[in-house]
Amino acid sequence: MKKEIKDRMKLTMLNLKVKEKKRDDEKADERLRITAESLLKHNFDNDSVQYWGWLPKSVFDAGISSRALGLLTMLTMNSNTLPVSEGRRVTVRIKPSVVLNWLKIANRNQAKTIRGLLDELENSSLIKVTGDEIELLFPTMDEAKKNGGFCKVYTNTYNSILDHSHGVATLNRIAVYVGVRSLLYEDKNVGGSHWNVVYHNRSDGWIGEKIDLSEATTKKIIQWFIDNDILAWNLLQNRNKYHNKIYYLSEPHHVESLVYDICNELNGSNVLRVVA
């Protein structure tokens, strides 16, 4: 853990101690213990190289289903720019049976579902299918930056979703992950010295609308991410008359920014405490 984070946590706990003692002296020590343990539970030594793919945010304007978005992401994560492809991003030797293998689906009758999703993507001008080659009809990254931006999809997190999941439901889970990623910006000019890489699950309904899923289903999938440790998380208690709880989430390799953001919320009295 970097010294900056240690110092920030120490100062935050000192400030929080005063507040908790004032609120309820008898419960203060236990509440402070839970907050400290919750913030320290993360792996702060995850300094491995992080690989990622990307999708232009314009895909959210294409009107495709959540399953189609999940499949498009899978095609993206398996695409390459080959010497013979003249700069095009392509996924080669792809048939519905290959996608079924990715999804760990043994029932070959589900190939009809995959064909339907490929047709949906092609009819939306997001891919071009030629035999067993699929071309992604994406703008270049520079073009995407000028037209709404792009979403990073981290390989480790993507693979973790696949490792913990199987079946067509995997497509919706990938789509929700992409929806979460669409709200995050890894730019130090946004939000000061720490990147805007923390997701607050107040936005579940907005993501659901964006990827064509109900808010209830989106919340269920976010909870699945939490239960399976797909994303790093903490549960905070709001400082309002309801004292409701809200999750703060980040990529596992962004836990320092997650904790820093939570410390800022505690110091600013925007939340009461961390409960998990």
Side-chain angles (χ1 to χ4, degrees):
M1 185 191 302
K2 294 178 182 176
K3 184 178 183 299
E4 178 187 7
I5 300 298
K6 284 184 179 179
D7 291 345
R8 190 66 173 173
M9 287 181 63
K10 183 177 180 180
L11 177 61
T12 298
M13 294 306 299
L14 288 173
N15 291 337
L16 187 60
K17 183 177 180 178
V18 175
K19 296 174 184 176
E20 291 289 24
K21 289 287 187 181
K22 185 176 181 180
R23 290 171 188 141
D24 191 323
D25 188 58
E26 290 185 2
K27 296 180 179 180
D29 288 345
E30 177 66 8
R31 287 172 169 173
L32 289 166
R33 181 189 65 78
I34 292 173
T35 291
E37 290 181 353
S38 298
L39 293 177
L40 289 169
K41 71 179 179 179
H42 302 292
N43 176 15
F44 292 94
D45 299 319
N46 188 351
D47 56 359
S48 60
V49 177
Q50 299 296 325
Y51 298 101
W52 48 274
W54 64 276
L55 292 86
K57 289 187 178 180
S58 56
V59 300
F60 296 112
D61 300 323
I64 58 175
S65 65
S66 58
R67 286 182 175 183
L69 176 59
L71 178 55
L72 181 63
T73 305
M74 297 190 87
L75 295 174
T76 299
M77 297 303 285
N78 286 277
S79 68
N80 286 289
T81 303
L82 304 175
V84 295
S85 68
E86 298 179 345
R88 296 174 297 127
R89 290 172 67 185
V90 297
T91 309
V92 296
R93 292 185 291 278
I94 293 300
K95 297 179 180 179
S97 59
V98 174
V99 177
L100 292 179
N101 291 338
W102 290 345
L103 297 172
K104 292 179 278 191
I105 296 175
N107 183 0
R108 300 291 106 169
N109 291 330
Q110 288 277 27
K112 181 179 179 181
T113 300
I114 303 303
R115 289 192 192 95
L117 294 173
L118 290 172
D119 287 344
E120 182 180 346
L121 292 173
E122 189 163 31
N123 291 337
S124 298
S125 300
L126 291 171
I127 64 171
K128 178 182 178 181
V129 181
T130 306
D132 63 356
E133 177 184 285
I134 297 177
E135 178 186 355
L136 304 177
L137 302 180
F138 288 174
T140 65
M141 184 176 288
D142 285 340
E143 290 170 341
K145 288 178 180 178
K146 297 174 183 177
N147 293 281
F150 64 93
C151 305
K152 280 187 178 181
V153 178
Y154 280 99
T155 303
N156 285 346
T157 305
Y158 169 79
N159 285 336
S160 184
I161 293 173
L162 296 184
D163 290 343
H164 287 82
S165 187
H166 70 277
V168 176
T170 303
L171 298 176
N172 282 342
R173 289 167 179 165
I174 293 173
V176 171
Y177 172 58
V178 174
V180 170
R181 291 297 318 165
S182 73
L183 297 180
L184 306 179
Y185 305 87
E186 295 181 25
D187 184 346
K188 287 191 176 182
N189 292 324
V190 179
S193 61
H194 280 260
W195 298 349
N196 182 23
V197 295
V198 179
Y199 173 74
H200 307 168
N201 77 324
R202 300 183 184 93
S203 303
D204 292 352
W206 188 82
I207 285 179
E209 183 177 340
K210 196 170 190 178
I211 65 172
D212 192 35
L213 273 181
S214 69
E215 182 174 357
T217 301
T218 302
K219 285 183 178 295
K220 184 176 180 180
I221 292 174
I222 294 288
Q223 188 62 52
W224 183 86
F225 290 161
I226 293 164
D227 293 341
N228 290 280
D229 290 322
I230 304 298
L231 298 173
W233 61 273
N234 283 110
L235 183 62
L236 283 68
Q237 189 168 21
N238 268 327
R239 186 176 179 270
N240 56 28
K241 65 179 181 180
Y242 305 108
H243 289 181
N244 59 308
K245 299 178 179 67
I246 185 167
Y247 282 103
Y248 282 42
L249 304 99
S250 77
E251 297 283 354
H253 57 278
H254 284 152
V255 290
E256 287 192 350
S257 290
L258 172 63
V259 170
Y260 195 94
D261 191 48
I262 290 172
C263 286
N264 284 343
E265 295 282 79
L266 290 168
N267 290 329
S269 298
N270 297 318
V271 295
L272 286 175
R273 61 186 63 90
V274 185
V275 296

